[in-house]
Amino acid sequence: MRARVRVLLLLLAATVCVSNAQTTNSSNDNKQQQQQQSILDEPIRFSTKTKDSCTMVVSGAGDYTRLRVSCKGVSQGQSPARSYYCDFQGKPNLCRAYNVNPRHFFNQMMWEMRKLSHACQGSKIYRPQMCRRYPDEVQMSFLAGWPKTTSSKPSKPTQEQRKPAAPSQIKPVNTPKLVKPQQPSKGTQTRKTTHKPAKTTSHPTEQPDSKASRMATEYCWQSFHGICSYFIGWFQN
């Protein structure tokens, strides 16, 4: 009987130890979850360019830090106010400046979002100034959003469809180029030959005066050339 009692006591002690260990583990997990979810003491509130009221809530998910931006627009007439949210994820804790002041990190993101008409249609990766030099792993990247925003990519096919609809801009179709006559090649061009009149050198016939003057130079003194040529010419005529 004593042996059985000892066994029962050991079993009771074991169950008590196991239950205490489970309670301590669960309390530690709860503390860790509370620490992860309490990155910011209070959510960050701001308004967009179109007066949408938004809040930023930061939480931890393992090694990552998650940010949810929830916004609600202003109701216009009978149409209900729009509401949307988007999630971002990153590892800003690898940045030293973030560990010093994490709220300022998300305030810098908020300054960029409040300039937009839709807080979730901004940049896909936010690089706050205090951690800009760190890689993309540290930055807050777009993870998911609701409702799904239509991106600007569908507008590209419309532009591509408009491009073929302008045949008048095609240069080969221009008619003035076809009207121009083809110029003959250099080999077929007829050279314009200008016939220059041949220079005819007319040899003047010797006049009687020239013969008289020649004979005067041959047979008379130099001082009597004029008189001699006169008489010689008179005799020849």
Side-chain angles (χ1 to χ4, degrees), residues 138-154:
V138 178
Q139 313 302 332
M140 298 302 291
S141 302
F142 180 81
L143 186 63
W146 182 90
K148 292 183 178 180
T149 57
T150 58
S151 60
S152 60
K153 291 182 179 180

Side-chain angles (χ1 to χ4, degrees), residues 90-103:
K91 292 181 179 181
N93 55 342
L94 299 178
C95 175
R96 293 181 180 179
Y98 171 84
N99 294 324
V100 175
N101 191 357
R103 190 176 185 86

Side-chain angles (χ1 to χ4, degrees), residues 109-124:
M109 289 184 61
M110 178 266 293
W111 295 341
E112 296 295 330
M113 289 182 177
R114 69 182 181 180
K115 299 177 183 178
L116 304 172
S117 300
H118 194 291
C120 293
Q121 290 183 353
S123 179
K124 296 298 181 182

Side-chain angles (χ1 to χ4, degrees), residues 165-234:
S168 61
Q169 296 179 357
I170 301 173
K171 292 182 179 179
V173 184
N174 291 335
T175 55
K177 291 184 178 180
L178 298 176
V179 175
K180 291 182 180 179
Q182 294 181 354
Q183 295 180 356
S185 60
K186 293 182 179 179
T188 58
Q189 289 181 354
T190 58
R191 295 181 180 178
K192 294 181 180 180
T193 57
T194 57
H195 299 282
K196 295 181 180 180
K199 293 181 179 180
T200 58
T201 58
S202 59
H203 298 285
T205 58
E206 293 182 355
Q207 297 295 330
D209 295 338
S210 61
K211 291 181 179 180
S213 61
R214 188 177 62 183
M215 292 176 68
T217 55
E218 289 180 359
Y219 298 104
C220 297
W221 290 323
Q222 186 175 2
S223 58
F224 296 104
H225 282 176
I227 297 171
C228 291
S229 62
Y230 173 75
F231 283 106
I232 293 170
W234 182 74

